[in-house]
Structure formats: C-alpha cells, structure tokens
C-alpha cells in the first residue's frame, strides 16, 4: 500500500480522534457551579466531616455527604447535566446518576420518589426526586446521599487513608457546596 493510500485511510480515524478529543476538552471546560441539591438545606443539615468517614458498613468508607431534611423535601439537580440512570438498587434505594460538567457523575441516593428519568437533560431548576429513606437508609433519618465521581482519574488525590486509592474518583462534595 502506498503512503498516499494509507494517509487517505487514516484520515477519517484522525478526524474521529480529533472530534473525540474536542468533546472531552469541551466537557472539561464547562464551568461547574454546584447548587445545594436539597431544597432549603444549609450547612447545618450535613456533617462537613462525613466524607470518607470510616468505618461505614459494607461501603467501608463514606464516599459522599448525607444531607438531612424531612421526608418529601424536593431534591434539585446540583448542576446541569444528562441523566444516565434512574432506578432502584440495593444499598442506594431510589437513585439517579447524572453526568455533569468536567466529566463528573452526580449520584443521588435514598430518594423517596424519583422525578426524572434516564436521558433527560436537567438544569438546576429540575427536580430529581424527593428526600427519603430508601435502600440501606431504611430506619434512619431521611436524607439525601450525594456523591460526585470524576470519570477522569485524579491520581494525585490518592492518599494513605482506607481505600485512599478511590479518592482519584470520589470527590468531596462538601468542598463544592461551600463556596
Ligand atoms: Zn451517605
């Protein structure tokens, strides 16, 4: 095969590659200003030290923050995004997984009711669900378990804590809620 032909064949692949890179970079550049997802909640409604709390049952460490509110309180999306999944799972109960800016996943768990569905676009005005005790929050005070997971690993965040390597994926939501 001549060099000329090979270049012609590679051109669409190169185009696809550049296209993908562009999408990834744009995703990274979209600003993220998080909104408190539980309507009316303040700093007083969560423990700022709950992230990576140990021991935490089957999860070993607590990879998010629990925001307490009365059952049925509206949960709004903390950021604009695309809903990837909604459904009922064992530990999380009624959950929603939303892809937001910077290739971060936003996870909402223990909801009483789900008010969105997969493949919906959400804004900070959209209601995701309501606060509840579904999944392994059964019998506890109603709260939203909220986690942020980066799809792009932040390897420099790994530390010597229990499961510290997982900190390249799980970000501390408290840092983003308090600003
Ligand atoms: Zn939790």
């Amino acid at each position: 095969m001549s060099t000329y032909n090979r270049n012609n064949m590679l051109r669409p692949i190169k185009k696809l590659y550049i296209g993908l890179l562009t999408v990834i970079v744009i995703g990274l550049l979209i600003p993220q200003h998080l909104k408190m997802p539980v309507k009316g909640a303040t700093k007083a409604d969560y423990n700022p030290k709950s992230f990576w709390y140990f021991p935490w049952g089957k999860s070993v460490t607590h990879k998010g923050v629990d925001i307490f509110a009365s059952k049925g309180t509206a949960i709004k999306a903390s950021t604009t995004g695309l809903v990837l999944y909604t459904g009922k799972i064992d530990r999380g109960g009624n959950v929603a997984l939303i892809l937001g800016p910077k290739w971060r996943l936003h996870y909402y768990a223990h909801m009483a009711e789900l008010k969105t569905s997969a493949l919906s676009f959400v804004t900070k005005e959209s209601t995701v669900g309501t606060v509840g005790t579904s999944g392994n929050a059964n019998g506890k005070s109603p709260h939203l378990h909220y986690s942020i997971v980066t799809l792009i690993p932040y390897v420099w965040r790994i530390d010597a804590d229990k499961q510290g390597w997982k900190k390249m994926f799980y970000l501390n939501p408290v840092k983003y809620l308090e600003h």
Side-chain angles (χ1 to χ4, degrees):
M1 193 192 294
S2 71
T3 316
Y4 175 78
N5 280 340
R6 191 182 296 139
N7 281 345
N8 262 355
M9 282 178 68
L10 286 177
R11 199 163 287 152
I13 295 171
K14 209 173 159 189
K15 250 185 163 172
L16 179 73
Y17 183 69
I18 290 170
L20 268 175
L21 268 180
T22 309
V23 168
I24 289 170
V25 169
I26 288 173
L28 283 172
L29 291 178
I30 298 171
Q32 174 196 252
H33 299 292
L34 292 189
K35 179 178 139 174
M36 159 56 73
V38 176
K39 204 175 176 192
T42 67
K43 271 182 171 183
D45 299 308
Y46 60 86
N47 179 346
K49 291 188 176 149
S50 75
F51 183 71
W52 231 260
Y53 199 91
F54 168 82
W56 201 267
K58 282 183 182 164
S59 309
V60 184
T61 54
H62 188 231
K63 298 172 186 73
V65 63
D66 293 335
I67 306 163
F68 293 85
S70 48
K71 189 178 174 184
T73 304
I75 296 165
K76 301 281 185 176
S78 58
T79 173
T80 51
L82 173 68
V83 181
L84 296 183
Y85 174 83
T86 57
K88 192 158 196 168
I89 62 170
D90 259 12
R91 284 188 224 169
N94 292 321
V95 301
L97 194 62
I98 299 177
L99 175 67
K102 301 191 183 295
W103 298 104
R104 289 172 186 178
L105 297 171
H106 299 259
Y107 175 70
Y108 303 78
H110 306 320
M111 292 187 281
E113 276 182 285
L114 271 165
K115 300 269 192 185
T116 189
S117 53
L119 301 181
S120 307
F121 275 101
V122 292
T123 69
K124 291 175 189 173
E125 303 309 314
S126 310
T127 305
V128 174
T130 59
V131 173
T133 55
S134 58
N136 64 5
N138 188 23
K140 297 179 184 160
S141 301
H143 66 274
L144 167 69
H145 173 94
Y146 176 60
S147 290
I148 304 173
V149 179
T150 170
L151 292 174
I152 296 170
Y154 298 168
V155 286
W156 58 92
R157 300 252 180 116
I158 293 174
D159 65 20
D161 269 2
K162 270 264 183 252
Q163 296 185 324
W165 67 274
K166 291 191 176 180
K167 286 186 181 174
M168 69 179 159
F169 297 113
Y170 287 92
L171 309 181
N172 186 354
V174 171
K175 283 190 188 165
Y176 301 98
L177 294 176
E178 290 177 356
H179 66 92

